[in-house]
Amino acid sequence: MPTEELSESPNLGALYLKAAGTTPLRRAGRDAELPYSEYVRSGITIDREHLAAYNRLCGFGTRDELPLTYPHITSFPLAVRLMTDRDFPYPLVGLVHVANRITRHEPVSVTDSMTQRVRLANQRRHPKGQQFDVITETSVDDRLVWSETSTYLRRGASDDSVPRPEGIPEVTAEAPTAAWRLPANLGRRYAAVSGDRNPIHLHPLTAKAFGFPRTIAHGMWSKARCLAAFEGRLPDACTVEVEFAKPVLLPSEVRFTEQPGESDAAKLFALHSTSGKPHLKGRLHGLAE
């Protein structure tokens, strides 16, 4: 696999401008192939002030250990660069982040120097188009400490002959564990700390241009906020997977629910609207008692 080493994080602002300019030129068909390459960045260090801002916004406490979702923030620019390269077949604008799976093999400290590798893989058909994965591996001192699979959907012609993937079990919305009020500016605030400045999160007018009645929350903020509810109960090694359903409109109130999973070391959780519509459902493995 061709590998390109990057000495600094790609500029997300420039990449989004590039994506906007090239979207009309990308018209990939069903047989389009993903580029067989990866980006690698070494010597990634953590800015404590940035981490503190992320923790406050997502509900995590102040610790020397990185929250489970934080390495996604440092690797995201590499993923966007892959998805805006000339040989990437789909327009970045319009891709839907439908699922995310993170495995922590061991804790990552705020003082650790990380190496991250990002590649694309597993293109496959979906009843509503094409899916593919963004694979990220994070190492410290040549040890794999954290890995992630983000699944994206490129909508296309419906095909009912394609089997739907087996999903995470449903969680009832009848007895929520907590309720959270989300402000109208949450999308802009998370964009400031994550770098994810997709226009659907920033302003009602740009959100409406993409078919949403108002701005929507980032899916990875929703996952992080749910995991903050488990803080102190996650073991060193664990896997947390989520599926994103209906977008969280801003402002709004959402309700978080957790319930037992398939084993004593597992939990199911979900985020619903006040009317019971599902926004996110998740499953974590290896939960500490």
Side-chain angles (χ1 to χ4, degrees):
M1 174 180 292
T3 297
E4 182 175 346
E5 296 259 1
L6 301 181
S7 59
E8 59 184 10
S9 180
N11 184 311
L12 279 172
L15 291 177
Y16 279 122
L17 287 175
K18 178 182 177 182
T22 57
T23 289
L25 305 178
R26 298 182 190 252
R27 291 288 187 268
R30 176 176 291 181
D31 297 327
E33 295 185 359
L34 297 175
Y36 186 67
S37 59
E38 70 175 358
Y39 285 121
V40 180
R41 183 173 168 234
S42 301
I44 301 171
T45 56
I46 305 303
D47 182 312
R48 288 180 180 269
E49 291 187 4
H50 181 269
L51 175 61
Y54 177 86
N55 287 342
R56 286 192 298 270
L57 187 59
C58 298
F60 294 107
T62 302
R63 305 176 64 187
D64 287 336
E65 181 182 299
L66 299 187
L68 193 71
T69 47
Y70 190 80
H72 172 88
I73 300 297
T74 54
S75 65
F76 184 69
L78 303 181
V80 175
R81 177 158 174 181
L82 275 173
M83 292 187 286
T84 53
D85 279 348
R86 184 187 299 268
D87 54 353
F88 182 70
Y90 307 118
L92 179 66
V93 177
L95 291 178
V96 182
H97 191 188
V98 295
N100 179 272
R101 178 186 178 96
I102 291 174
T103 296
R104 182 173 64 189
H105 304 279
E106 62 180 79
V108 183
S109 171
V110 68
T111 59
D112 285 332
S113 176
M114 302 183 297
T115 295
Q116 295 191 299
R117 314 177 73 91
V118 182
R119 66 184 186 276
L120 307 173
N122 304 328
Q123 184 171 240
R124 67 263 193 202
R125 294 168 62 194
H126 183 273
K128 294 183 179 180
Q130 295 282 329
Q131 278 189 339
F132 66 92
D133 296 330
V134 178
I135 309 294
T136 302
E137 295 178 340
T138 299
S139 300
V140 173
D141 295 331
D142 295 325
R143 303 187 317 276
L144 178 65
V145 297
W146 185 95
S147 56
E148 176 187 44
T149 300
S150 285
T151 301
Y152 289 86
L153 171 67
R154 170 58 179 169
R155 294 189 184 277
S158 297
D159 188 349
D160 293 335
S161 67
V162 180
R164 290 185 175 275
E166 182 179 350
I168 298 171
E170 298 291 338
V171 173
T172 178
E174 296 176 357
T177 309
W180 303 319
R181 292 187 179 275
L182 311 185
N185 67 353
L186 177 61
R188 294 190 294 276
R189 291 169 62 196
Y190 186 78
V193 298
S194 69
D196 184 352
R197 299 183 183 277
N198 188 316
I200 60 178
H201 304 300
L202 302 180
H203 193 278
L205 291 179
T206 53
K208 286 180 180 179
F210 289 93
F212 299 99
R214 54 187 191 270
T215 52
I216 67 173
H218 294 71
M220 289 304 293
W221 177 88
S222 298
K223 180 173 184 175
R225 186 63 188 88
C226 289
L227 287 180
F230 290 102
E231 194 166 32
R233 292 186 285 157
L234 294 176
D236 290 349
C238 59
T239 294
V240 183
E241 54 186 323
V242 301
E243 296 171 0
F244 303 112
K246 294 184 179 298
V248 177
L249 299 176
L250 300 172
S252 66
E253 180 178 314
V254 294
R255 294 176 178 175
F256 168 77
T257 305
E258 63 171 278
Q259 68 182 43
E262 304 92 322
S263 68
D264 292 340
K267 281 277 189 181
L268 297 176
F269 60 94
L271 206 59
H272 292 92
S273 68
T274 53
S275 63
K277 295 180 180 178
H279 293 306
L280 172 155
K281 58 180 179 177
R283 174 167 51 197
L284 57 89
H285 310 271
L287 189 69
E289 294 297 324

